[in-house]
PDB file of all heavy atoms in Angstrom:
ATOM      1  N   LYS A 317      21.177  27.280  20.653  1.00 93.00           N
ATOM      2  CA  LYS A 317      21.770  27.886  19.463  1.00 93.00           C
ATOM      3  C   LYS A 317      21.113  27.331  18.199  1.00 93.00           C
ATOM      4  O   LYS A 317      20.694  26.168  18.168  1.00 93.00           O
ATOM      5  CB  LYS A 317      23.280  27.611  19.419  1.00 93.00           C
ATOM      6  CG  LYS A 317      24.056  28.262  20.562  1.00 93.00           C
ATOM      7  CD  LYS A 317      25.543  27.955  20.438  1.00 93.00           C
ATOM      8  CE  LYS A 317      26.329  28.610  21.578  1.00 93.00           C
ATOM      9  NZ  LYS A 317      27.779  28.323  21.473  1.00 93.00           N
ATOM     10  N   PHE A 318      21.043  28.193  17.201  1.00 94.00           N
ATOM     11  CA  PHE A 318      20.528  27.788  15.904  1.00 94.00           C
ATOM     12  C   PHE A 318      21.696  27.417  14.984  1.00 94.00           C
ATOM     13  O   PHE A 318      22.662  28.170  14.863  1.00 94.00           O
ATOM     14  CB  PHE A 318      19.718  28.905  15.248  1.00 94.00           C
ATOM     15  CG  PHE A 318      18.394  29.178  15.930  1.00 94.00           C
ATOM     16  CD1 PHE A 318      17.818  30.444  15.910  1.00 94.00           C
ATOM     17  CD2 PHE A 318      17.702  28.161  16.576  1.00 94.00           C
ATOM     18  CE1 PHE A 318      16.610  30.694  16.521  1.00 94.00           C
ATOM     19  CE2 PHE A 318      16.494  28.394  17.198  1.00 94.00           C
ATOM     20  CZ  PHE A 318      15.945  29.664  17.172  1.00 94.00           C
ATOM     21  N   HIS A 319      21.596  26.250  14.350  1.00 94.00           N
ATOM     22  CA  HIS A 319      22.585  25.833  13.359  1.00 94.00           C
ATOM     23  C   HIS A 319      21.899  25.727  11.998  1.00 94.00           C
ATOM     24  O   HIS A 319      20.702  25.428  11.916  1.00 94.00           O
ATOM     25  CB  HIS A 319      23.199  24.483  13.746  1.00 94.00           C
ATOM     26  CG  HIS A 319      24.127  24.572  14.915  1.00 94.00           C
ATOM     27  ND1 HIS A 319      24.713  23.451  15.477  1.00 94.00           N
ATOM     28  CD2 HIS A 319      24.577  25.621  15.640  1.00 94.00           C
ATOM     29  CE1 HIS A 319      25.488  23.812  16.493  1.00 94.00           C
ATOM     30  NE2 HIS A 319      25.403  25.132  16.612  1.00 94.00           N
ATOM     31  N   TYR A 320      22.688  25.959  10.947  1.00 93.00           N
ATOM     32  CA  TYR A 320      22.130  25.957   9.594  1.00 93.00           C
ATOM     33  C   TYR A 320      22.944  25.021   8.698  1.00 93.00           C
ATOM     34  O   TYR A 320      24.158  25.119   8.626  1.00 93.00           O
ATOM     35  CB  TYR A 320      22.118  27.374   9.016  1.00 93.00           C
ATOM     36  CG  TYR A 320      21.388  28.360   9.882  1.00 93.00           C
ATOM     37  CD1 TYR A 320      22.083  29.103  10.845  1.00 93.00           C
ATOM     38  CD2 TYR A 320      20.015  28.532   9.779  1.00 93.00           C
ATOM     39  CE1 TYR A 320      21.422  30.000  11.667  1.00 93.00           C
ATOM     40  CE2 TYR A 320      19.343  29.432  10.600  1.00 93.00           C
ATOM     41  CZ  TYR A 320      20.049  30.159  11.540  1.00 93.00           C
ATOM     42  OH  TYR A 320      19.392  31.037  12.358  1.00 93.00           O
ATOM     43  N   ASN A 321      22.231  24.107   8.044  1.00 91.00           N
ATOM     44  CA  ASN A 321      22.856  23.192   7.088  1.00 91.00           C
ATOM     45  C   ASN A 321      22.060  23.292   5.782  1.00 91.00           C
ATOM     46  O   ASN A 321      21.278  22.418   5.427  1.00 91.00           O
ATOM     47  CB  ASN A 321      22.841  21.758   7.640  1.00 91.00           C
ATOM     48  CG  ASN A 321      23.542  20.780   6.722  1.00 91.00           C
ATOM     49  OD1 ASN A 321      24.354  21.177   5.890  1.00 91.00           O
ATOM     50  ND2 ASN A 321      23.207  19.505   6.849  1.00 91.00           N
ATOM     51  N   LEU A 322      22.273  24.420   5.087  1.00 88.00           N
ATOM     52  CA  LEU A 322      21.455  24.754   3.932  1.00 88.00           C
ATOM     53  C   LEU A 322      22.176  24.408   2.634  1.00 88.00           C
ATOM     54  O   LEU A 322      23.382  24.592   2.517  1.00 88.00           O
ATOM     55  CB  LEU A 322      21.102  26.243   3.947  1.00 88.00           C
ATOM     56  CG  LEU A 322      20.487  26.768   5.250  1.00 88.00           C
ATOM     57  CD1 LEU A 322      20.223  28.265   5.148  1.00 88.00           C
ATOM     58  CD2 LEU A 322      19.202  26.020   5.579  1.00 88.00           C
ATOM     59  N   SER A 323      21.407  23.895   1.666  1.00 83.00           N
ATOM     60  CA  SER A 323      21.987  23.581   0.364  1.00 83.00           C
ATOM     61  C   SER A 323      22.348  24.878  -0.354  1.00 83.00           C
ATOM     62  O   SER A 323      21.793  25.943  -0.086  1.00 83.00           O
ATOM     63  CB  SER A 323      20.984  22.774  -0.478  1.00 83.00           C
ATOM     64  OG  SER A 323      19.778  23.488  -0.617  1.00 83.00           O
ATOM     65  N   GLY A 324      23.298  24.793  -1.259  1.00 75.00           N
ATOM     66  CA  GLY A 324      23.826  25.994  -1.909  1.00 75.00           C
ATOM     67  C   GLY A 324      22.845  26.672  -2.841  1.00 75.00           C
ATOM     68  O   GLY A 324      22.814  27.895  -2.950  1.00 75.00           O
ATOM     69  N   GLU A 325      22.013  25.879  -3.527  1.00 77.00           N
ATOM     70  CA  GLU A 325      21.104  26.450  -4.515  1.00 77.00           C
ATOM     71  C   GLU A 325      19.928  27.155  -3.837  1.00 77.00           C
ATOM     72  O   GLU A 325      19.426  26.691  -2.817  1.00 77.00           O
ATOM     73  CB  GLU A 325      20.565  25.343  -5.434  1.00 77.00           C
ATOM     74  CG  GLU A 325      21.626  24.658  -6.261  1.00 77.00           C
ATOM     75  CD  GLU A 325      22.274  25.595  -7.254  1.00 77.00           C
ATOM     76  OE1 GLU A 325      21.568  26.481  -7.775  1.00 77.00           O
ATOM     77  OE2 GLU A 325      23.486  25.444  -7.499  1.00 77.00           O
ATOM     78  N   PRO A 326      19.464  28.278  -4.417  1.00 79.00           N
ATOM     79  CA  PRO A 326      18.271  28.950  -3.871  1.00 79.00           C
ATOM     80  C   PRO A 326      17.052  28.031  -3.967  1.00 79.00           C
ATOM     81  O   PRO A 326      16.860  27.352  -4.969  1.00 79.00           O
ATOM     82  CB  PRO A 326      18.105  30.172  -4.780  1.00 79.00           C
ATOM     83  CG  PRO A 326      19.413  30.359  -5.440  1.00 79.00           C
ATOM     84  CD  PRO A 326      20.023  28.995  -5.567  1.00 79.00           C
ATOM     85  N   LEU A 327      16.259  28.016  -2.911  1.00 86.00           N
ATOM     86  CA  LEU A 327      15.062  27.180  -2.889  1.00 86.00           C
ATOM     87  C   LEU A 327      13.835  28.075  -2.788  1.00 86.00           C
ATOM     88  O   LEU A 327      13.698  28.847  -1.844  1.00 86.00           O
ATOM     89  CB  LEU A 327      15.096  26.209  -1.706  1.00 86.00           C
ATOM     90  CG  LEU A 327      16.202  25.159  -1.709  1.00 86.00           C
ATOM     91  CD1 LEU A 327      16.085  24.275  -0.476  1.00 86.00           C
ATOM     92  CD2 LEU A 327      16.161  24.306  -2.962  1.00 86.00           C
ATOM     93  N   THR A 328      12.970  27.966  -3.773  1.00 90.00           N
ATOM     94  CA  THR A 328      11.745  28.764  -3.765  1.00 90.00           C
ATOM     95  C   THR A 328      10.542  27.843  -3.867  1.00 90.00           C
ATOM     96  O   THR A 328      10.595  26.794  -4.524  1.00 90.00           O
ATOM     97  CB  THR A 328      11.718  29.765  -4.933  1.00 90.00           C
ATOM     98  OG1 THR A 328      11.872  29.055  -6.168  1.00 90.00           O
ATOM     99  CG2 THR A 328      12.825  30.792  -4.789  1.00 90.00           C
ATOM    100  N   ILE A 329       9.470  28.236  -3.214  1.00 91.00           N
ATOM    101  CA  ILE A 329       8.227  27.464  -3.247  1.00 91.00           C
ATOM    102  C   ILE A 329       7.067  28.419  -3.468  1.00 91.00           C
ATOM    103  O   ILE A 329       7.199  29.636  -3.266  1.00 91.00           O
ATOM    104  CB  ILE A 329       8.014  26.673  -1.936  1.00 91.00           C
ATOM    105  CG1 ILE A 329       7.979  27.637  -0.728  1.00 91.00           C
ATOM    106  CG2 ILE A 329       9.066  25.607  -1.750  1.00 91.00           C
ATOM    107  CD1 ILE A 329       7.597  26.966   0.581  1.00 91.00           C
ATOM    108  N   PHE A 330       5.935  27.878  -3.880  1.00 91.00           N
ATOM    109  CA  PHE A 330       4.717  28.662  -3.991  1.00 91.00           C
ATOM    110  C   PHE A 330       3.870  28.363  -2.758  1.00 91.00           C
ATOM    111  O   PHE A 330       3.387  27.240  -2.589  1.00 91.00           O
ATOM    112  CB  PHE A 330       3.951  28.317  -5.273  1.00 91.00           C
ATOM    113  CG  PHE A 330       4.521  28.967  -6.491  1.00 91.00           C
ATOM    114  CD1 PHE A 330       5.488  28.326  -7.255  1.00 91.00           C
ATOM    115  CD2 PHE A 330       4.100  30.234  -6.872  1.00 91.00           C
ATOM    116  CE1 PHE A 330       6.018  28.926  -8.378  1.00 91.00           C
ATOM    117  CE2 PHE A 330       4.628  30.851  -7.995  1.00 91.00           C
ATOM    118  CZ  PHE A 330       5.594  30.194  -8.752  1.00 91.00           C
TER     119      PHE A 330
END
Side-chain angles (χ1 to χ4, degrees):
K317 295 181 180 180
F318 290 151
H319 288 176
Y320 305 92
N321 183 21
L322 308 178
S323 57
E325 297 295 325
L327 296 180
T328 57
I329 59 173
F330 281 91

